[in-house]
Amino acid sequence: MPARLTVLSGPSGVGKGTVVARLRELVPQIWVSVSATTRAPRPGERDGVEYRFVDHPTFEQMIADDELLEHAQFAGNRYGTPREPVHEHLAAGKPTLLEIELDGARQVRTTMPDARFVFLEPPSVPELVQRLSGRATESDDQVRRRLERAEIEMAAADEFDHRVVNSDIDDAAAQVAALVLS
Ligand code: 5GP
């Protein structure tokens, strides 16, 4: 039987990456999609693991070849979900997760309405601002763009089927795990 797709969204800085890492431990059978991005790798990020790092022409070609399930621009970079691996894993019965921003989630809502849409939110806005501002890996300009975008994303929380507050990583991951498996 085909498995269900879960889409996890939420503002940059909310801790999606950490929650997904914990989720993988809780639900080892889950498959997490590897996005293509034009963003430069952060220290420790490996090509093909956290992301597939591509240049702009390659990203454009992927769009032209209709290889992406969804794609969006975020803080000056482009991000997209390769379509084929998602369909393959779902067909093989693997619960599948996309960790993507709002525009992409909206596109998936249109093309795959049966997916489950989960919004991860911070305990408070000041906490999110503090977390984003404290990021050593991002330039001031990047932080500013991400903060602007976070405001837009927070305003869209109601569009999602489920909202999970990330006050405690274990708790948030357990809630997302229950949604993925239900
Ligand atoms: P970061 O640069 O911090 O890794 O990611 C920036 C934002 O892009 C995050 O909100 C992340 O969820 C989102 N993102 C990562 N991959 C994709 C993707 O394939 N598609 C879309 N639409 N957003 C993505």
Side-chain angles (χ1 to χ4, degrees):
M1 206 178 73
R4 173 178 251 165
L5 178 66
T6 302
V7 176
L8 182 70
S9 259
S12 180
V14 74
K16 292 190 295 276
T18 319
V19 168
V20 170
R22 193 60 53 89
L23 181 66
R24 283 181 196 266
E25 289 165 14
L26 291 174
V27 187
Q29 72 269 37
I30 200 170
W31 181 73
V32 182
S33 166
V34 181
S35 298
T37 184
T38 59
R39 162 165 89 56
R42 295 187 184 126
E45 285 184 336
R46 296 145 297 171
D47 187 36
V49 181
E50 284 80 11
Y51 281 106
R52 187 174 153 204
F53 296 99
V54 299
D55 56 17
H56 281 272
T58 305
F59 198 94
E60 289 296 338
Q61 194 59 50
M62 291 173 92
I63 296 173
D65 294 342
D66 200 23
E67 280 179 31
L68 299 178
L69 181 63
E70 59 73 37
H71 59 91
Q73 183 120 7
F74 184 95
N77 288 300
R78 309 193 70 179
Y79 297 79
T81 304
R83 183 198 309 277
E84 201 56 35
V86 171
H87 286 305
E88 276 169 16
H89 284 88
L90 288 173
K94 281 234 163 220
T96 294
L97 183 87
L98 309 185
E99 188 251 270
I100 61 178
E101 54 67 70
L102 179 63
D103 287 349
R106 286 175 171 159
Q107 292 167 44
V108 180
R109 162 89 73 195
T110 307
T111 53
M112 299 179 79
D114 291 341
R116 173 165 279 160
F117 294 84
V118 183
F119 188 81
L120 191 66
E121 53 192 342
S124 71
V125 172
E127 194 150 324
L128 184 73
V129 172
Q130 199 180 6
R131 283 168 71 162
L132 261 177
S133 308
R135 271 202 182 166
T137 50
E138 246 75 40
S139 67
D140 288 352
D141 181 54
Q142 271 288 323
V143 168
R144 186 186 51 74
R145 293 169 92 154
R146 281 168 185 261
L147 282 169
E148 281 170 13
R149 185 71 170 233
E151 209 172 311
I152 295 168
E153 300 225 346
M154 290 292 287
D158 280 348
E159 292 178 25
F160 288 76
D161 304 324
H162 304 274
R163 295 165 69 154
V164 171
V165 179
N166 187 19
S167 8
D168 175 85
I169 288 156
D170 288 320
D171 190 41
Q175 286 184 56
V176 179
L179 292 169
V180 165
L181 293 173
S182 66

